């Protein structure tokens, strides 16, 4: 873009082939536009929203065609836990602390970092006070929340001790039950705050 860095993020990416096709289309458009204005030739960064189980399975290959990843947790957890998007509560809030959720998010974040890509966590989980220390400990590079929750989340994360949050994730990542995770989370309690 001639006006600054442009990031195009595509929702519901579940196949590397789709991302490769989108990337090729954008590169082609850039070449056409560059003839009329050289400033348009600046690189466009591409992002993919991982919001389906298929996207998680294809992540390693999707990363070959992207510059950044966003995890759409509302849709992803709804599909993982077989919820309904038409419901006011597509997945139960207590599923946030289920071992499957922890392992899934760790897998995605670690996969992105192995390929030197930043990952942003979006959706209700990103604004959940009980889950924020876990996201910090997992190494999420960013979180995306509703504007009305921004200050609250920023204040909360600024008070967290990243080392303690990493210790928390190390302690819970291989647990088998939600109760174990909740017990460990409670035992860390105020120790997560600097």
């Amino acid at each position: 873009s001639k006006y600054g860095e442009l990031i195009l993020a595509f929702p519901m990416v579940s196949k590397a082939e789709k991302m490769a096709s989108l990337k090729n289309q954008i590169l082609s458009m850039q070449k056409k536009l560059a003839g009329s204005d050289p400033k348009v030739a600046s690189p466009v960064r591409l992002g993919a929203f991982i919001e389906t189980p298929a996207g998680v399975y294809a992540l390693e290959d999707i990363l070959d065609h992207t510059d950044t990843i966003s995890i759409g947790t509302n849709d992803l957890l709804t599909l993982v836990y077989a919820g309904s998007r038409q419901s006011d509560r597509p997945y139960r809030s207590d599923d946030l602390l289920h071992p499957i959720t922890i392992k899934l998010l760790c897998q995605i974040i670690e996969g992105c970092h192995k390929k030197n890509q930043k990952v942003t966590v979006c959706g209700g989980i990103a604004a959940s006070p009980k889950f924020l220390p876990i996201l910090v400990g997992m190494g999420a590079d960013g979180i995306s929340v509703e504007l009305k929750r921004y200050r609250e989340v920023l204040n909360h994360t600024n008070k967290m001790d990243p080392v303690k949050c990493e210790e928390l994730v190390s302690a819970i990542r291989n647990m088998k039950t939600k109760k174990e995770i909740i017990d460990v989370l409670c035992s860390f309690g105020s120790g997560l705050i600097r």
Side-chain angles (χ1 to χ4, degrees):
S1 165
K2 70 181 193 178
Y3 300 105
E5 182 181 50
L6 178 64
I7 301 173
L8 294 177
F10 297 95
M12 294 286 180
V13 175
S14 59
K15 297 177 187 169
E17 302 84 23
K18 181 68 174 172
M19 201 64 216
S21 172
L22 291 166
K23 183 177 186 176
N24 288 335
Q25 290 174 42
I26 289 166
L27 290 172
S28 174
M29 283 187 269
Q30 271 189 293
K31 285 179 186 174
K32 288 178 186 174
L33 291 171
S36 63
D37 187 344
K39 292 180 183 177
V40 176
S42 65
V44 173
R45 295 182 62 217
L46 299 181
F49 274 84
I50 302 301
E51 301 174 276
T52 67
V56 176
Y57 285 113
L59 180 64
E60 187 175 345
D61 295 327
I62 290 169
L63 289 167
D64 291 336
H65 308 286
T66 60
D67 301 298
T68 185
I69 292 291
S70 296
I71 307 170
T73 59
N74 291 346
D75 286 319
L76 181 59
L77 295 178
T78 296
L79 293 169
V80 165
Y81 293 111
S84 167
R85 278 301 271 156
Q86 279 64 49
S87 169
D88 288 340
R89 302 188 72 160
Y91 57 88
R92 296 187 339 225
S93 62
D94 64 336
D95 289 334
L96 297 180
L97 293 174
H98 194 281
I100 292 170
T101 304
I102 304 296
K103 288 176 182 154
L104 187 66
L105 294 177
C106 280
Q107 176 185 340
I108 296 168
I109 292 169
E110 289 168 3
C112 291
H113 289 167
K114 281 181 189 170
K115 291 213 173 180
N116 297 313
Q117 287 198 29
K118 293 190 183 286
V119 59
T120 298
V121 179
C122 310
I125 207 169
S128 168
K130 65 183 168 189
F131 211 88
L132 278 171
I134 297 170
L135 293 175
V136 170
M138 287 178 178
D141 299 293
I143 57 172
S144 176
V145 297
E146 296 174 285
L147 187 57
K148 66 183 178 182
R149 303 286 310 273
Y150 172 76
R151 284 271 176 234
E152 172 193 353
V153 170
L154 182 64
N155 290 337
H156 197 66
T157 53
N158 283 340
K159 294 176 187 172
M160 288 182 201
D161 180 340
V163 173
K164 292 289 185 190
C165 293
E166 287 174 20
E167 290 171 6
L168 169 67
V169 172
S170 291
I172 66 172
R173 69 177 299 141
N174 293 312
M175 294 190 162
K176 305 287 184 215
T177 68
K178 184 172 40 181
K179 183 185 180 328
E180 290 175 300
I181 291 170
I182 291 169
D183 290 346
V184 170
L185 191 55
C186 290
S187 75
F188 272 77
S190 62
L192 297 170
I193 307 298
R194 300 185 246 202

